[in-house]
Coordinates of all heavy atoms in Angstrom, one line a residue:
M1035 N 66.0 -17.2 -88.8 CA 66.2 -16.9 -87.5 C 65.9 -15.4 -87.4 O 66.5 -14.7 -88.1 CB 67.5 -17.3 -86.8 CG 67.7 -16.9 -85.6 SD 69.0 -17.8 -84.7 CE 68.4 -17.9 -83.2
P1036 N 65.2 -14.8 -86.3 CA 65.0 -13.5 -86.2 C 66.2 -12.6 -85.9 O 67.1 -13.3 -85.2 CB 64.0 -13.5 -85.0 CG 63.4 -14.8 -84.9 CD 64.4 -15.7 -85.4
E1037 N 66.2 -11.5 -86.3 CA 67.4 -10.6 -86.0 C 67.1 -10.0 -84.6 O 66.0 -9.5 -84.5 CB 67.5 -9.5 -87.2 CG 68.5 -8.5 -86.9 CD 68.4 -7.4 -87.8 OE1 67.7 -7.5 -88.9 OE2 69.0 -6.3 -87.6
K1038 N 68.2 -9.9 -83.8 CA 68.0 -9.3 -82.6 C 68.4 -7.8 -82.7 O 69.6 -7.6 -83.2 CB 68.8 -10.0 -81.5 CG 68.7 -9.5 -80.2 CD 69.4 -10.3 -79.1 CE 69.1 -9.8 -77.7 NZ 69.7 -10.6 -76.8
I1039 N 67.6 -6.9 -82.3 CA 67.9 -5.5 -82.4 C 68.4 -5.0 -81.0 O 67.6 -5.2 -80.1 CB 66.8 -4.7 -82.9 CG1 66.5 -5.0 -84.4 CG2 67.0 -3.2 -82.9 CD1 65.3 -4.5 -84.9
T1040 N 69.5 -4.5 -80.9 CA 70.0 -4.1 -79.6 C 70.3 -2.5 -79.4 O 70.5 -2.1 -78.3 CB 71.4 -4.8 -79.3 OG1 72.3 -4.4 -80.4 CG2 71.2 -6.3 -79.3
S1041 N 69.9 -1.8 -80.4 CA 70.1 -0.4 -80.3 C 69.0 0.4 -80.9 O 68.4 0.1 -82.0 CB 71.4 -0.1 -81.2 OG 71.5 1.4 -81.3
N1042 N 68.6 1.6 -80.3 CA 67.6 2.3 -80.8 C 68.1 3.2 -82.0 O 67.3 4.0 -82.6 CB 66.9 3.2 -79.8 CG 67.8 4.1 -79.1 OD1 69.1 4.1 -79.3 ND2 67.2 4.8 -78.1
H1043 N 69.4 3.1 -82.4 CA 69.9 3.7 -83.5 C 69.7 2.9 -84.8 O 70.2 3.3 -85.8 CB 71.3 4.1 -83.2 CG 71.6 5.0 -82.1 ND1 71.0 6.5 -82.2 CD2 72.0 4.9 -80.9 CE1 71.4 7.0 -81.0 NE2 71.9 6.0 -80.2
N1044 N 69.2 1.7 -84.6 CA 69.0 0.8 -85.7 C 68.1 1.5 -86.8 O 67.1 2.1 -86.4 CB 68.4 -0.5 -85.2 CG 68.2 -1.5 -86.2 OD1 67.4 -1.4 -87.2 ND2 68.9 -2.7 -86.1
P1045 N 68.5 1.4 -88.1 CA 67.6 2.0 -89.0 C 66.1 1.6 -89.1 O 65.2 2.3 -89.3 CB 68.3 1.6 -90.4 CG 69.6 1.2 -90.0 CD 69.5 0.8 -88.6
R1046 N 65.9 0.3 -88.6 CA 64.5 -0.2 -88.7 C 63.7 0.4 -87.5 O 62.6 0.8 -87.8 CB 64.6 -1.7 -88.5 CG 65.0 -2.5 -89.7 CD 65.1 -3.9 -89.4 NE 65.4 -4.6 -90.7 CZ 65.1 -6.0 -90.8 NH1 64.6 -6.7 -89.9 NH2 65.5 -6.5 -91.9
I1047 N 64.3 0.6 -86.5 CA 63.7 1.4 -85.3 C 63.4 2.7 -85.6 O 62.3 3.1 -85.4 CB 64.5 1.2 -84.0 CG1 64.7 -0.3 -83.6 CG2 63.9 2.0 -82.9 CD1 63.4 -1.0 -83.5
K1048 N 64.4 3.4 -86.2 CA 64.3 4.7 -86.7 C 63.0 5.0 -87.7 O 62.3 5.8 -87.6 CB 65.5 5.3 -87.3 CG 66.5 5.5 -86.4 CD 67.8 6.2 -86.9 CE 68.8 6.5 -86.0 NZ 70.0 7.1 -86.7
N1049 N 62.9 4.0 -88.6 CA 61.7 3.9 -89.6 C 60.4 3.7 -88.8 O 59.5 4.4 -89.2 CB 62.0 2.9 -90.6 CG 61.0 3.2 -91.8 OD1 60.9 4.2 -92.3 ND2 60.4 2.1 -92.1
I1050 N 60.5 3.0 -87.9 CA 59.2 2.7 -87.0 C 58.7 4.0 -86.4 O 57.6 4.4 -86.5 CB 59.3 1.6 -86.0 CG1 59.4 0.2 -86.7 CG2 58.1 1.6 -85.1 CD1 59.8 -0.9 -85.8
L1051 N 59.7 4.7 -85.8 CA 59.4 6.0 -85.2 C 58.9 7.0 -86.1 O 58.0 7.7 -85.9 CB 60.5 6.4 -84.4 CG 61.0 5.5 -83.3 CD1 62.4 6.0 -82.7 CD2 60.1 5.5 -82.2
L1052 N 59.6 6.9 -87.4 CA 59.1 7.8 -88.4 C 57.7 7.5 -88.8 O 56.8 8.5 -89.1 CB 60.1 7.8 -89.7 CG 60.0 8.7 -90.7 CD1 60.1 10.2 -90.2 CD2 61.0 8.4 -91.8
L1053 N 57.4 6.4 -89.0 CA 56.0 5.9 -89.4 C 55.0 6.2 -88.3 O 53.9 6.7 -88.7 CB 56.0 4.4 -89.6 CG 56.6 3.8 -91.0 CD1 56.7 2.3 -90.8 CD2 56.0 4.4 -92.3
Q1054 N 55.4 6.2 -87.2 CA 54.3 6.5 -86.0 C 54.2 8.1 -86.0 O 53.0 8.4 -85.6 CB 54.9 6.1 -84.7 CG 54.9 4.6 -84.5 CD 55.5 4.3 -83.1 OE1 56.6 4.7 -82.7 NE2 54.8 3.3 -82.4
S1055 N 55.0 8.8 -86.4 CA 54.9 10.3 -86.2 C 54.6 11.1 -87.5 O 54.1 12.2 -87.4 CB 56.2 10.9 -85.8 OG 57.2 10.7 -86.6
K1056 N 54.7 10.5 -88.7 CA 54.4 11.2 -89.9 C 53.5 10.5 -90.8 O 53.9 9.4 -91.5 CB 55.8 11.3 -90.6 CG 56.9 12.0 -89.9 CD 56.6 13.6 -89.9 CE 57.8 14.2 -89.1 NZ 57.7 15.5 -88.9
S1057 N 52.4 11.1 -91.0 CA 51.4 10.5 -92.0 C 51.8 10.3 -93.4 O 51.6 9.5 -94.2 CB 49.9 11.2 -91.8 OG 50.1 12.5 -92.2
R1058 N 52.6 11.4 -93.8 CA 53.2 11.4 -95.1 C 54.0 10.3 -95.4 O 54.0 9.6 -96.5 CB 53.9 12.7 -95.3 CG 54.6 12.9 -96.7 CD 55.2 14.3 -96.7 NE 56.2 14.2 -97.8 CZ 57.4 14.7 -97.7 NH1 57.7 15.6 -96.8 NH2 58.3 14.7 -98.7
E1059 N 54.9 9.8 -94.4 CA 55.7 8.6 -94.5 C 54.8 7.4 -94.7 O 55.1 6.4 -95.4 CB 56.7 8.5 -93.4 CG 58.0 9.3 -93.4 CD 58.8 8.9 -94.7 OE1 58.9 7.6 -94.9 OE2 59.2 9.8 -95.4
R1060 N 53.7 7.3 -93.8 CA 52.9 6.1 -93.9 C 52.3 5.9 -95.3 O 52.2 4.9 -95.9 CB 51.8 6.2 -92.8 CG 52.4 6.1 -91.4 CD 51.2 6.0 -90.5 NE 50.4 7.1 -90.3 CZ 50.7 8.2 -89.5 NH1 51.7 8.1 -88.6 NH2 49.8 9.2 -89.3
R1061 N 52.0 7.1 -95.8 CA 51.3 7.1 -97.2 C 52.4 6.7 -98.3 O 52.2 5.9 -99.1 CB 50.7 8.4 -97.7 CG 49.4 8.6 -96.9 CD 48.7 9.8 -97.5 NE 49.4 11.1 -97.4 CZ 49.4 12.0 -96.4 NH1 48.7 11.6 -95.3 NH2 50.1 13.0 -96.4
Q1062 N 53.6 7.3 -98.2 CA 54.6 7.0 -99.1 C 55.1 5.5 -99.1 O 55.3 4.9 -100.2 CB 55.9 7.9 -98.9 CG 55.7 9.3 -99.3 CD 56.9 10.2 -99.0 OE1 57.8 9.9 -98.3 NE2 57.0 11.3 -99.7
Q1063 N 55.3 5.0 -97.8 CA 55.7 3.6 -97.7 C 54.6 2.6 -97.7 O 54.8 1.4 -97.8 CB 56.5 3.5 -96.4 CG 57.7 4.3 -96.3 CD 58.6 3.9 -95.0 OE1 58.6 2.8 -94.7 NE2 59.2 5.1 -94.6
N1064 N 53.3 3.1 -97.8 CA 52.2 2.3 -97.7 C 52.3 1.3 -96.5 O 51.9 0.1 -96.7 CB 51.9 1.6 -99.0 CG 50.6 1.0 -99.2 OD1 49.7 1.5 -98.6 ND2 50.4 -0.1 -99.9
L1065 N 52.6 1.8 -95.4 CA 52.7 0.9 -94.2 C 52.2 1.9 -93.0 O 52.1 3.0 -93.0 CB 54.3 0.8 -93.8 CG 55.1 -0.1 -94.8 CD1 56.5 -0.1 -94.5 CD2 54.5 -1.6 -94.9
F1066 N 51.8 1.1 -91.9 CA 51.5 1.7 -90.7 C 51.9 0.9 -89.5 O 52.2 -0.4 -89.7 CB 50.1 2.1 -90.6 CG 49.1 0.9 -90.7 CD1 48.5 0.3 -89.7 CD2 48.7 0.5 -92.0 CE1 47.7 -0.8 -89.8 CE2 47.7 -0.6 -92.1 CZ 47.3 -1.2 -91.1
V1067 N 52.0 1.3 -88.3 CA 52.4 0.6 -87.1 C 51.2 0.3 -86.3 O 50.3 0.9 -86.1 CB 53.3 1.5 -86.3 CG1 53.8 0.8 -85.1 CG2 54.6 1.9 -87.2
I1068 N 51.2 -1.0 -85.9 CA 50.2 -1.6 -85.0 C 50.9 -2.1 -83.7 O 52.0 -2.8 -83.8 CB 49.5 -2.8 -85.7 CG1 48.8 -2.5 -87.0 CG2 48.4 -3.3 -84.7 CD1 48.5 -3.7 -87.8
E1069 N 50.4 -1.7 -82.6 CA 51.0 -2.2 -81.3 C 50.1 -3.0 -80.6 O 48.8 -2.7 -80.4 CB 51.3 -0.9 -80.6 CG 52.4 -0.1 -81.2 CD 52.8 1.2 -80.3 OE1 53.2 0.9 -79.1 OE2 52.7 2.3 -80.8
G1070 N 50.5 -4.0 -79.9 CA 49.8 -4.8 -79.1 C 49.2 -6.1 -79.7 O 48.8 -6.2 -80.8
Y1071 N 49.2 -7.1 -79.0 CA 48.8 -8.5 -79.4 C 47.3 -8.3 -79.9 O 47.0 -8.9 -81.0 CB 48.8 -9.5 -78.3 CG 48.2 -10.7 -78.6 CD1 49.0 -11.7 -79.3 CD2 46.9 -11.1 -78.2 CE1 48.5 -13.0 -79.7 CE2 46.4 -12.4 -78.6 CZ 47.2 -13.2 -79.3 OH 46.7 -14.5 -79.7
R1072 N 46.4 -7.8 -79.2 CA 45.0 -7.8 -79.6 C 44.9 -7.1 -81.0 O 44.2 -7.5 -81.9 CB 44.1 -7.1 -78.5 CG 42.6 -7.1 -79.0 CD 41.9 -6.6 -77.9 NE 42.2 -5.2 -77.7 CZ 41.6 -4.4 -76.9 NH1 40.7 -4.8 -75.9 NH2 41.8 -3.0 -76.8
E1073 N 45.4 -6.0 -81.2 CA 45.4 -5.1 -82.3 C 46.0 -5.9 -83.6 O 45.6 -5.9 -84.7 CB 45.9 -3.7 -82.1 CG 45.2 -3.0 -81.1 CD 43.7 -2.8 -81.3 OE1 43.3 -2.8 -82.5 OE2 43.0 -2.9 -80.4
I1074 N 47.2 -6.4 -83.3 CA 47.8 -7.2 -84.3 C 46.9 -8.4 -84.8 O 46.8 -8.7 -85.9 CB 49.2 -7.8 -83.9 CG1 50.2 -6.6 -83.6 CG2 49.8 -8.8 -84.9 CD1 51.4 -7.1 -82.9
S1075 N 46.4 -9.1 -83.8 CA 45.5 -10.3 -84.2 C 44.3 -9.8 -84.9 O 43.9 -10.4 -85.9 CB 44.9 -10.9 -82.8 OG 46.0 -11.5 -82.1
R1076 N 43.7 -8.7 -84.5 CA 42.6 -8.1 -85.4 C 43.0 -7.7 -86.8 O 42.1 -8.0 -87.7 CB 42.0 -6.9 -84.6 CG 41.2 -7.2 -83.4 CD 40.8 -5.9 -82.7 NE 40.1 -6.3 -81.5 CZ 39.5 -5.2 -80.7 NH1 39.8 -4.0 -81.0 NH2 38.8 -5.7 -79.7
A1077 N 44.1 -7.2 -87.0 CA 44.6 -6.8 -88.3 C 44.8 -8.0 -89.1 O 44.4 -8.1 -90.3 CB 45.9 -6.0 -88.2
I1078 N 45.4 -9.1 -88.6 CA 45.5 -10.3 -89.3 C 44.1 -10.9 -89.7 O 43.9 -11.3 -90.8 CB 46.2 -11.4 -88.5 CG1 47.7 -10.9 -88.4 CG2 46.3 -12.7 -89.2 CD1 48.6 -11.6 -87.4
K1079 N 43.2 -11.0 -88.8 CA 41.9 -11.5 -89.0 C 41.2 -10.6 -90.1 O 40.3 -11.2 -90.9 CB 41.2 -11.4 -87.8 CG 41.5 -12.6 -86.9 CD 40.8 -12.6 -85.5 CE 41.3 -13.7 -84.6 NZ 40.7 -13.6 -83.2
A1080 N 41.4 -9.3 -90.2 CA 40.9 -8.5 -91.2 C 41.5 -8.7 -92.6 O 41.1 -7.9 -93.5 CB 40.9 -7.1 -90.7
G1081 N 42.6 -9.4 -92.6 CA 43.3 -9.6 -93.9 C 44.4 -8.8 -94.2 O 45.1 -8.8 -95.3
F1082 N 44.9 -8.0 -93.3 CA 46.1 -7.3 -93.4 C 47.4 -8.2 -93.5 O 47.4 -9.2 -92.6 CB 46.4 -6.2 -92.4 CG 45.3 -5.0 -92.5 CD1 44.1 -5.0 -91.9 CD2 45.7 -4.0 -93.3 CE1 43.2 -3.9 -92.0 CE2 44.9 -3.0 -93.5 CZ 43.6 -3.0 -92.8
L1083 N 48.3 -7.9 -94.2 CA 49.6 -8.6 -94.2 C 50.6 -7.9 -93.4 O 50.7 -6.6 -93.5 CB 50.1 -8.7 -95.7 CG 49.2 -9.4 -96.6 CD1 49.7 -9.4 -98.1 CD2 48.9 -10.9 -96.2
L1084 N 51.4 -8.6 -92.6 CA 52.4 -8.0 -91.8 C 53.6 -7.9 -92.7 O 54.1 -8.9 -93.2 CB 52.7 -9.0 -90.6 CG 51.6 -9.1 -89.5 CD1 52.1 -9.9 -88.4 CD2 51.1 -7.8 -89.1
A1085 N 54.2 -6.8 -92.7 CA 55.5 -6.6 -93.4 C 56.6 -7.0 -92.5 O 57.5 -7.7 -92.9 CB 55.6 -5.0 -93.8
E1086 N 56.5 -6.7 -91.2 CA 57.6 -7.0 -90.3 C 56.8 -7.1 -88.9 O 55.9 -6.4 -88.7 CB 58.7 -6.0 -90.1 CG 59.5 -5.9 -91.5 CD 60.6 -5.0 -91.4 OE1 60.6 -4.0 -90.6 OE2 61.5 -5.1 -92.3
L1087 N 57.4 -7.8 -88.0 CA 56.9 -8.0 -86.6 C 58.1 -7.8 -85.7 O 59.1 -8.5 -85.8 CB 56.2 -9.3 -86.4 CG 55.7 -9.6 -85.0 CD1 54.5 -8.7 -84.7 CD2 55.3 -11.0 -84.9
Y1088 N 58.0 -6.8 -84.7 CA 58.9 -6.5 -83.8 C 58.3 -6.9 -82.4 O 57.2 -6.3 -82.1 CB 59.5 -5.2 -83.8 CG 60.1 -4.7 -85.2 CD1 59.4 -4.3 -86.2 CD2 61.4 -5.0 -85.3 CE1 60.0 -4.0 -87.3 CE2 62.1 -4.6 -86.5 CZ 61.3 -4.2 -87.5 OH 61.9 -3.8 -88.7
Y1089 N 59.0 -7.5 -81.6 CA 58.5 -7.7 -80.2 C 59.8 -8.0 -79.3 O 60.9 -8.3 -79.7 CB 57.6 -8.8 -80.1 CG 58.1 -10.2 -80.1 CD1 58.3 -10.9 -79.0 CD2 58.6 -10.9 -81.4 CE1 58.8 -12.2 -79.1 CE2 59.0 -12.0 -81.3 CZ 59.2 -12.8 -80.1 OH 59.7 -14.0 -80.1
C1090 N 59.6 -7.7 -78.0 CA 60.5 -7.9 -77.0 C 60.2 -9.2 -76.2 O 59.2 -9.1 -75.4 CB 60.8 -6.7 -76.1 SG 61.9 -6.9 -74.8
P1091 N 61.0 -10.3 -76.3 CA 60.7 -11.5 -75.5 C 60.6 -11.2 -74.0 O 59.8 -11.9 -73.4 CB 61.8 -12.3 -75.9 CG 62.4 -11.9 -77.2 CD 62.2 -10.4 -77.1
E1092 N 61.3 -10.3 -73.5 CA 61.2 -10.1 -72.1 C 60.0 -9.5 -71.6 O 59.5 -9.8 -70.5 CB 62.3 -9.0 -71.6 CG 63.8 -9.6 -71.6 CD 64.5 -9.6 -73.1 OE1 63.7 -9.0 -74.0 OE2 65.5 -10.4 -73.3
Y1093 N 59.2 -8.8 -72.5 CA 57.8 -8.3 -72.2 C 56.8 -9.3 -72.6 O 55.6 -9.1 -72.3 CB 57.7 -7.0 -72.8 CG 58.5 -5.9 -72.2 CD1 59.6 -5.3 -72.8 CD2 58.3 -5.5 -70.7 CE1 60.4 -4.4 -72.2 CE2 59.1 -4.5 -70.3 CZ 60.2 -4.1 -70.8 OH 61.0 -3.0 -70.2
D1094 N 57.1 -10.2 -73.6 CA 56.1 -11.2 -74.0 C 56.2 -12.4 -73.2 O 56.4 -13.5 -73.5 CB 56.4 -11.5 -75.5 CG 55.4 -12.3 -76.2 OD1 54.2 -12.3 -75.7 OD2 55.7 -13.0 -77.1
I1095 N 55.7 -12.1 -71.9 CA 55.9 -13.2 -70.8 C 55.1 -14.5 -71.3 O 55.6 -15.6 -71.0 CB 55.3 -12.7 -69.5 CG1 56.2 -11.5 -69.1 CG2 55.2 -13.7 -68.3 CD1 55.5 -10.6 -67.9
D1096 N 54.0 -14.4 -71.7 CA 53.3 -15.7 -72.1 C 53.4 -16.0 -73.5 O 52.9 -17.0 -74.0 CB 51.8 -15.5 -71.8 CG 51.1 -14.2 -72.5 OD1 51.8 -13.6 -73.2 OD2 49.9 -14.1 -72.2
N1097 N 54.5 -15.4 -74.3 CA 54.9 -15.8 -75.6 C 53.8 -15.7 -76.6 O 53.8 -16.3 -77.6 CB 55.5 -17.0 -75.6 CG 56.4 -17.3 -76.8 OD1 57.0 -16.4 -77.3 ND2 56.4 -18.5 -77.3
R1098 N 52.7 -14.8 -76.4 CA 51.6 -14.7 -77.3 C 52.1 -14.1 -78.6 O 51.7 -14.5 -79.7 CB 50.4 -13.9 -76.7 CG 49.7 -14.8 -75.7 CD 48.6 -14.1 -75.1 NE 48.4 -12.7 -75.3 CZ 47.2 -12.0 -75.1 NH1 46.3 -12.6 -74.6 NH2 47.2 -10.7 -75.3
V1099 N 52.8 -13.0 -78.6 CA 53.2 -12.2 -79.8 C 54.2 -13.2 -80.5 O 54.1 -13.2 -81.8 CB 53.8 -10.9 -79.5 CG1 54.3 -10.3 -80.6 CG2 52.7 -10.1 -78.8
G1100 N 55.1 -13.8 -79.9 CA 56.1 -14.6 -80.5 C 55.4 -15.8 -81.3 O 55.8 -16.1 -82.4
E1101 N 54.4 -16.4 -80.7 CA 53.7 -17.5 -81.2 C 52.9 -17.0 -82.4 O 52.8 -17.6 -83.4 CB 52.8 -18.1 -80.1 CG 52.3 -19.6 -80.4 CD 53.5 -20.5 -80.8 OE1 54.5 -20.5 -80.1 OE2 53.2 -21.2 -81.7
L1102 N 52.3 -15.7 -82.3 CA 51.5 -15.2 -83.3 C 52.4 -15.0 -84.6 O 52.1 -15.3 -85.7 CB 50.9 -13.9 -82.9 CG 50.1 -13.2 -83.9 CD1 48.8 -14.1 -84.3 CD2 49.5 -11.8 -83.3
G1103 N 53.6 -14.5 -84.4 CA 54.6 -14.3 -85.5 C 54.9 -15.6 -86.1 O 55.0 -15.7 -87.3
R1104 N 55.3 -16.6 -85.3 CA 55.6 -17.9 -85.9 C 54.5 -18.4 -86.8 O 54.7 -18.9 -87.9 CB 55.9 -18.9 -84.8 CG 57.3 -18.8 -84.2 CD 57.7 -19.8 -83.4 NE 57.3 -19.6 -82.0 CZ 57.7 -18.6 -81.1 NH1 58.7 -17.9 -81.5 NH2 57.1 -18.5 -79.9
K1105 N 53.1 -18.2 -86.4 CA 52.0 -18.9 -87.0 C 51.9 -18.0 -88.4 O 51.6 -18.6 -89.4 CB 50.7 -18.6 -86.3 CG 50.6 -19.7 -85.2 CD 49.3 -19.5 -84.4 CE 49.3 -20.3 -83.2 NZ 47.9 -20.0 -82.4
V1106 N 52.1 -16.7 -88.4 CA 52.1 -16.0 -89.6 C 53.1 -16.4 -90.6 O 52.9 -16.5 -91.8 CB 52.2 -14.4 -89.3 CG1 52.4 -13.6 -90.5 CG2 50.9 -13.9 -88.4
M1107 N 54.4 -16.6 -90.0 CA 55.5 -17.0 -90.9 C 55.2 -18.4 -91.5 O 55.5 -18.7 -92.7 CB 56.7 -17.1 -90.1 CG 57.3 -15.7 -89.7 SD 57.5 -14.5 -91.2 CE 58.9 -15.4 -92.0
E1108 N 54.6 -19.3 -90.7 CA 54.3 -20.6 -91.3 C 53.3 -20.5 -92.4 O 53.4 -21.3 -93.4 CB 53.8 -21.5 -90.2 CG 54.8 -21.9 -89.2 CD 54.3 -22.7 -87.9 OE1 53.0 -22.8 -87.9 OE2 55.0 -23.0 -87.0
N1109 N 52.3 -19.7 -92.3 CA 51.2 -19.6 -93.2 C 51.7 -18.8 -94.4 O 51.0 -18.8 -95.5 CB 49.9 -19.0 -92.6 CG 49.4 -19.8 -91.6 OD1 49.4 -21.0 -91.7 ND2 48.7 -19.2 -90.6
S1110 N 52.8 -18.1 -94.5 CA 53.1 -17.1 -95.5 C 54.2 -17.9 -96.4 O 54.6 -17.4 -97.4 CB 53.7 -15.9 -95.1 OG 54.9 -16.1 -94.4
V1111 N 54.6 -19.1 -96.0 CA 55.7 -19.8 -96.8 C 55.0 -20.6 -97.8 O 53.9 -21.0 -97.9 CB 56.5 -20.7 -95.8 CG1 57.5 -21.6 -96.6 CG2 57.2 -19.9 -94.8

């Protein structure tokens, strides 16, 4: 079951912000941040593996990102 994050003081959120702002961190962690359904879909089609997926159900009105996450999880098991 997905973890619900309720605070912007969460270490995972802090790491996302760090990855967005510091290229050195992106190189060290070998990660980068992708935002938006279209860009996430393109990355998956290009063969990138998702390390983690964060989304806000309240903003995912048509549930596209949530559904995309479920499909990725089903294919990675």
Side-chain angles (χ1 to χ4, degrees):
M1035 174 158 214
E1037 174 189 347
K1038 186 173 184 176
I1039 297 175
T1040 59
S1041 170
N1042 59 358
H1043 297 291
N1044 184 294
R1046 291 178 173 196
I1047 299 302
K1048 287 182 178 183
N1049 192 51
I1050 290 170
L1051 296 172
L1052 188 61
L1053 289 168
Q1054 285 180 317
S1055 63
K1056 304 284 184 184
S1057 62
R1058 182 172 153 217
E1059 274 302 313
R1060 291 191 294 271
R1061 285 191 301 274
Q1062 284 180 344
Q1063 295 186 40
N1064 197 30
L1065 295 172
F1066 59 94
V1067 177
I1068 305 170
E1069 294 184 59
Y1071 174 81
R1072 183 176 67 183
E1073 298 307 321
I1074 295 168
S1075 295
R1076 287 178 176 178
I1078 292 169
K1079 287 178 186 172
F1082 287 92
L1083 299 175
L1084 298 182
E1086 297 180 340
L1087 177 67
Y1088 299 89
Y1089 77 102
C1090 180
E1092 289 82 13
Y1093 291 109
D1094 188 22
I1095 297 168
D1096 54 6
N1097 201 32
R1098 292 184 340 168
V1099 175
E1101 200 52 44
L1102 182 62
R1104 279 186 281 287
K1105 287 179 185 176
V1106 169
M1107 290 302 295
E1108 289 172 1
N1109 292 330
S1110 66
V1111 175

